[in-house]
Amino acid sequence: MVVNVVCLIIPSLRHGGAERVISILANEWSRRPNLKVFIILLTKQEHFYSVNDNVTIIEPQEEYTSNLISKFYYSIWILKFIRRTIRELKPDAVLSFCERYNNIVLLSLLGINVKRFVSDRNNPKNTLGLVHENLRKRLYKGADGIIAQTTTAKDILYIKTKNPNIKAIPNPLRNVEEHDVTKRENIILTVGRNVEQKNQRELIEIFSRLEDAEHWKLEIIGVGDLRHELENLVEMKGLSNRVSFLDFQKNIDFYFQRAKIFVFTSLYEGFPNALIEAMANGLPTVSYDCPTGPSELIVDGKNGDLVELNNTDLFVRKLQFLINDDMLRNSYGEEAKNVKTKYSSQQISQEYLNFILK
């Protein structure tokens, strides 16, 4: 039996969408007797996601500080670390995640005879800065293939890189864990880091404008630099008893299954894991139609509501409709569950494998 060796490269396994996808792919592939899976981490951080015992994790022993000189020397060291590790493992394919790190990986593999693939995990319209934009333009063209998360992202990446082998593959959906939740509560839920991209200030403003909703609560699950500012905003609006903040939860399905509505106000995305997981748990959703991802998951008026980006008035109205209409919530929620078939981890992980090992 021929055994293929696959290396996945990512900065860390801390909480995040890219990290979740890597862990799902590694776990799915590791169940195959003809595959040996390695994950190469580029920084030393606590692991939020776990992988199967037969997945080998390789992480650097070196660390760096916020000092620019320290970061520079670490970049040089990590180039050598990647190059040395790949030469030792001799994989059949390397798949790297995350934009700026993809450039580092491609640089490190120059001159090594290995199939190399990269995947950007956010909206490819976003600029990476002068240096990394130029590197992406030059290095991505020489990659054996690029994996985009949406068809829109695929088109943008082709314009930027001119790589002829780009495939759009959505994120795999992990298996939903059923919890003993007997009744959903009047909770409007969102999950995402407390950062500008997630636009949670606007969400708090939207929640404050709902009418006859004193018996509803907003739950924000995530961490980030804006947490303190968001808490102050909640207090200023007199919503402290109705808005709560929680750190990321490993049993996140419990919170999906306890809530009645999921809201998503991001300004941009790659492919929103939190949104698809909420839908898989049967939650009706109201989401901004941001680039990219929500419009590929939500059929407006069938399994959720799509709202023009930053149209707060319409977002308030759509959310108000869901609050007031049990039947509409149930209808959206039942339709939303269909994502479990379309985006199953078994199916999507096979698409990835077919692309990088063909």
Side-chain angles (χ1 to χ4, degrees):
M1 179 178 63
V2 176
V3 177
N4 291 119
V5 177
V6 176
C7 282
L8 298 166
I9 303 182
I10 192 167
S12 73
L13 283 176
R14 66 180 184 178
H15 189 278
E19 292 84 355
R20 182 186 289 283
V21 172
I22 284 284
S23 67
I24 292 173
L25 293 177
N27 287 334
E28 285 292 338
W29 293 347
S30 70
R31 297 188 180 100
R32 302 165 185 255
N34 63 333
L35 270 183
K36 185 155 184 61
V37 183
F38 292 86
I39 298 178
I40 301 174
L41 303 180
L42 303 183
T43 60
K44 195 173 183 180
Q45 300 186 49
E46 184 179 354
H47 299 177
F48 184 86
Y49 298 109
S50 58
V51 295
N52 296 339
D53 290 341
N54 54 341
V55 175
T56 303
I57 296 178
I58 301 172
E59 55 187 337
Q61 298 307 308
E62 296 286 327
E63 296 186 64
Y64 64 91
T65 67
S66 58
N67 182 283
L68 288 176
I69 296 175
S70 174
K71 286 184 176 180
F72 173 77
Y73 280 110
Y74 188 80
S75 298
I76 301 299
W77 184 88
I78 208 69
L79 284 168
K80 295 178 180 178
F81 169 74
I82 298 168
R83 193 173 182 86
R84 181 177 64 252
T85 305
I86 295 301
R87 277 180 164 165
E88 290 172 357
L89 297 176
K90 297 181 175 61
D92 296 282
V94 172
L95 173 58
S96 175
F97 271 29
C98 300
E99 295 80 337
R100 289 177 176 83
Y101 287 92
N102 289 342
N103 286 334
I104 293 172
V105 171
L106 291 173
L107 271 174
S108 72
L109 298 181
L110 289 175
I112 297 180
N113 184 25
V114 63
K115 291 174 70 176
R116 64 209 72 188
F117 298 85
V118 294
S119 182
D120 286 6
R121 308 309 297 176
N122 219 319
N123 180 7
K125 283 186 177 179
N126 292 350
T127 180
L128 304 180
L130 182 62
V131 172
H132 277 284
E133 278 293 334
N134 280 310
L135 284 173
R136 177 162 65 175
K137 181 179 179 181
R138 287 161 174 77
L139 294 172
Y140 276 39
K141 189 175 182 179
D144 290 281
I146 301 173
I147 295 175
Q149 296 176 93
T150 65
T151 53
T152 300
K154 174 184 174 181
D155 294 340
I156 296 169
L157 281 168
Y158 177 74
I159 292 170
K160 287 195 170 194
T161 69
K162 297 299 187 288
N163 187 308
N165 191 28
I166 305 177
K167 185 172 179 63
I169 306 178
N171 286 353
L173 176 64
R174 60 174 176 77
N175 294 328
V176 170
E177 296 179 6
E178 297 296 335
H179 290 267
D180 187 20
V181 179
T182 56
K183 186 178 179 182
R184 292 188 181 270
E185 301 176 24
N186 289 343
I187 294 173
I188 299 167
L189 177 66
T190 194
V191 178
R193 291 171 295 136
N194 308 142
V195 296
E196 294 288 349
Q197 175 191 348
K198 304 302 180 180
N199 199 24
Q200 290 162 352
R201 287 193 209 93
E202 199 161 290
L203 173 58
I204 293 167
E205 175 65 31
I206 288 167
F207 181 71
S208 73
R209 292 173 55 187
L210 294 172
E211 297 178 356
D212 301 321
E214 294 79 10
H215 56 299
W216 284 80
K217 294 183 178 181
L218 173 64
E219 201 164 71
I220 300 173
I221 298 181
V223 296
D225 294 339
L226 295 183
R227 168 68 74 86
H228 185 62
E229 179 183 331
L230 294 171
E231 289 173 335
N232 286 342
L233 177 61
V234 166
E235 185 176 356
M236 184 183 73
K237 289 186 170 292
L239 297 170
S240 296
N241 62 335
R242 295 177 54 213
V243 179
S244 59
F245 294 86
L246 289 81
D247 291 350
F248 286 118
Q249 304 293 314
K250 291 200 172 185
N251 61 332
I252 189 64
D253 286 332
F254 167 79
Y255 296 89
F256 284 135
Q257 290 162 26
R258 188 181 64 167
K260 284 187 177 179
I261 299 171
F262 186 80
V263 286
F264 200 70
T265 52
S266 283
L267 300 173
Y268 58 87
E269 284 289 334
F271 191 91
N273 288 313
L275 178 57
I276 192 174
E277 289 175 11
M279 296 174 72
N281 276 282
L283 273 175
T285 62
V286 183
S287 172
Y288 274 143
D289 188 11
C290 69
T292 53
S295 62
E296 303 212 4
L297 293 170
I298 296 175
V299 180
D300 188 37
K302 184 177 181 180
N303 61 1
D305 286 317
L306 280 175
V307 178
E308 179 187 15
L309 191 60
N310 297 127
N311 188 339
T312 55
D313 291 341
L314 182 57
F315 203 111
V316 170
R317 289 201 299 273
K318 293 292 187 179
L319 185 52
Q320 191 78 58
F321 288 153
L322 277 182
I323 284 175
N324 296 340
D325 194 332
D326 291 353
M327 290 183 64
L328 183 62
R329 290 200 306 272
N330 292 335
S331 174
Y332 279 5
E334 285 303 310
E335 285 289 341
K337 289 179 184 178
N338 291 328
V339 298
K340 289 193 285 189
T341 301
K342 185 175 181 181
Y343 299 100
S344 73
S345 59
Q346 295 87 353
Q347 176 179 317
I348 301 301
S349 64
Q350 185 61 54
E351 286 189 46
Y352 267 85
L353 207 55
N354 291 344
F355 186 62
I356 67 174
L357 290 181
K358 65 182 178 182

